[in-house]
Amino acid sequence: MINGVHMIVYSRDAEADRDFLRNVLGFPWVDAGDGWLIFKTPPGEAAVHPTDGPGHHEIYLMCDDIKSTEAELADKGVRLARPVSDQGWGLLSAVRLPGGGELGLYEPRHPTAHDL
């Protein structure tokens, strides 16, 4: 029935953020027409968290080792948007996109579902 998930990142500079996904993160892509790029992402998983406020969505890039990922990104001129914090269940930071947005960066310490 469901064969995938399509994420959308809204950006103030879509071309710069597409370039980041293509050339910095190395995500493969297809051109859906007129330069509208759609990227293949790594395997993913979804979680539902409770909230007392309005619902919202977040996107996190997962990694096995956040320190080595930080070093790889630094070699490409990318700095983390904030220091890595230990949340107990994982290590958390974010990558600032050229368009001004952020993608979370996350090293989980719990069992993951993306390889099931």
Side-chain angles (χ1 to χ4, degrees):
M1 181 170 78
I2 303 297
N3 65 5
V5 173
H6 183 91
M7 296 181 296
I8 298 173
V9 175
Y10 289 93
S11 172
R12 293 183 182 176
D13 190 344
E15 192 57 41
D17 288 348
R18 289 180 189 131
D19 185 66
F20 181 85
L21 293 176
R22 180 180 53 228
N23 296 317
V24 175
L25 298 184
F27 289 177
W29 52 274
V30 297
D31 188 329
D34 299 322
W36 194 269
L37 305 184
I38 298 180
F39 295 91
K40 178 182 180 193
T41 61
E45 57 187 31
V48 179
H49 291 237
T51 182
D52 292 329
H56 66 279
H57 311 290
E58 299 178 3
I59 300 172
Y60 289 86
L61 303 174
M62 296 172 71
C63 61
D64 293 325
D65 181 336
I66 201 165
K67 286 298 180 187
S68 65
T69 300
E70 179 181 14
E72 267 185 67
L73 290 169
D75 287 345
K76 296 178 178 185
V78 178
R79 300 284 177 247
L80 297 183
R82 57 182 163 273
V84 174
S85 64
D86 187 335
Q87 301 296 313
W89 40 261
L91 301 175
L92 193 64
S93 186
V95 174
R96 172 124 5 244
L97 295 172
E102 290 185 1
L103 291 177
L105 182 62
Y106 171 42
E107 178 189 328
R109 290 186 175 150
H110 56 77
T112 59
H114 61 72
D115 287 330
L116 295 177

